[in-house]
Amino acid sequence: MNLSHSIQFFQRYLRNPRSVGAIAPSSSGLSLALCEQYRRCNRAVRVLEVGAGTGSVTRQLGRLLGPDDKLDICEINPDFGDILERDVLSHRNYREPVASGRVRLLRQPVQEIAPTEAYDYIVSGLPFTAFELKDVAEIFEIIQRYLKPGGVFSYFEYVGLRKTSAALSWGKKRSRVRSVSSFLNKAIRAHEFDRTTVLTNFPPAHARHLRFQDAASFQAA
Ligand SMILES: C[S@@+](CC[C@H](N)C(=O)[O-])C[C@H]1O[C@@H](n2cnc3c(N)ncnc32)[C@H](O)[C@@H]1O
């Protein structure tokens, strides 16, 4: 893990905890687990990474990128956008794909990217547990719309975070965490087909893989 990126990540977390949602970037073990479904694929595909941060997962994606694959990298935070451009997309794995336009950095919220073609894989670092329920529901609906039929949505969450946050909070925060948790449990029960628990991450995390078979409805209750 790059120490300077970890420090910059933590500084951005202190400034904007709800949007960054983690105190440290994902480890290489967690990044690999998030890319596992894409790694198994042996045809040209379109991939979207959402919430790239300082680029832990982006680096893994760069190693896996096939000669005809296309990758959009979406990041809302302008400082992280600068780090991605300077320290990650400048790597030799990314030089040709960026120059030819197969890899694009989208410096905007995922809610606004409006892709013209659907994706085969969407890999997300978004901190759903820190979001309002209406934002989680909106993002799940968008992700389902952006995916091709049979496409895979991979995201992570820290082991036990939802339960611990609900137990240690009260009032509005507790009811927010509980409603987000119940939304996520429902989505996991209906759509998760694979999961890896990664202990070599701080904190340990589940990498979850979901497939939306039919037109799922993701309304905030
Ligand atoms: C928990 S960090 C994950 C960073 C990185 N993927 C990793 O695993 O180390 C969440 C990231 O999502 C970004 N983010 C939050 N809301 C977003 C949104 N609506 N659209 C795009 N990115 C967003 C944050 O700026 C932050 O970089």
Side-chain angles (χ1 to χ4, degrees), residues 50-148:
V50 186
T54 50
S56 306
V57 178
T58 322
R59 266 185 224 96
Q60 294 295 348
L61 290 170
R63 291 186 191 114
L64 298 173
L65 207 64
D68 295 313
D69 290 349
K70 291 183 178 165
L71 169 65
D72 286 340
I73 301 157
C74 169
E75 174 51 57
I76 197 173
N77 183 307
D79 296 342
F80 287 152
D82 292 346
I83 291 172
L84 288 165
E85 218 157 63
R86 191 188 62 222
D87 298 344
V88 183
L89 299 183
S90 59
H91 188 274
R92 61 173 183 281
N93 287 341
Y94 273 119
R95 263 180 231 141
E96 181 284 322
V98 169
S100 66
R102 284 196 297 120
V103 170
R104 303 185 301 169
L105 176 60
L106 311 174
R107 293 164 165 267
Q108 58 196 141
V110 65
Q111 295 91 323
E112 292 177 11
I113 66 173
T116 49
E117 252 186 272
Y119 298 98
D120 300 273
Y121 295 90
I122 298 182
V123 181
S124 164
L126 294 180
F128 292 124
T129 307
F131 288 174
E132 293 296 332
L133 174 62
K134 69 172 177 38
D135 298 322
V136 180
E138 183 191 14
I139 291 172
F140 264 72
E141 193 277 318
I142 284 171
I143 279 169
Q144 192 202 6
R145 195 151 30 90
Y146 289 178
L147 272 175
K148 289 180 184 171

